[in-house]
Amino acid sequence: MTAVQKPVLAVGDGDADLTARLEGELDAFNEAATGHAAHGELSVRATDEDGELIGGLTAWTWGGLCGIELLWVRESSRTDGWGAKLLRAAEAEAVRRGCDRVMVSSYTFQAPGFYRRHGYAEVGRVPGVPGGHEDVYLFKSLTVRA
């Protein structure tokens, strides 16, 4: 008689193999549901004359939508316009890749005002962020207006 294998549920720390598998499975599901292929990665990096990182932005593009994941500028450069430069460069690249809209989320203690100043409109909030904060979701059309 052979033993019957029972399903196993395992909880742990980060799992790169699991993340890769889930991304692949969800990409396939999303493509089947939307008719749009898996998304592409986008990054913008700013460095100073010494090669040190001033700031950067990471995002993805998929089916005409750009999703900003991370945008950071070092503290000593935050009043020099680098955030705007990174954002404009990412938006321009997104348009070049065929995107006509962009989305981002930012905690209330981070930069929702920054995004609003650059034409993003708030489309929702999620409460419960530590410290009594919220996660603000913002959206912008990249369509050129005449």
Side-chain angles (χ1 to χ4, degrees), residues 2-91:
T2 59
V4 175
Q5 292 282 3
K6 292 186 178 184
V8 176
L9 182 65
V11 178
D13 293 328
D15 182 333
D17 291 336
L18 178 60
T19 298
R21 174 71 186 270
L22 295 178
E23 286 173 347
E25 296 291 347
L26 286 170
D27 284 348
F29 179 85
N30 294 345
E31 183 176 350
T34 66
H36 290 278
H39 66 276
E41 302 296 322
L42 186 159
S43 67
V44 182
R45 173 189 296 261
T47 54
D48 64 18
E49 57 278 355
D50 296 322
E52 295 297 319
L53 186 65
I54 294 171
L57 180 150
T58 60
W60 49 262
T61 58
W62 174 58
L65 176 65
C66 176
I68 297 170
E69 294 177 317
L70 302 170
L71 190 161
W72 174 84
V73 175
R74 69 181 179 202
E75 190 170 352
S76 64
S77 299
R78 290 185 184 154
T79 59
D80 299 335
W82 283 106
K85 291 173 189 174
L86 293 165
L87 187 60
R88 283 193 304 267
E91 289 174 354

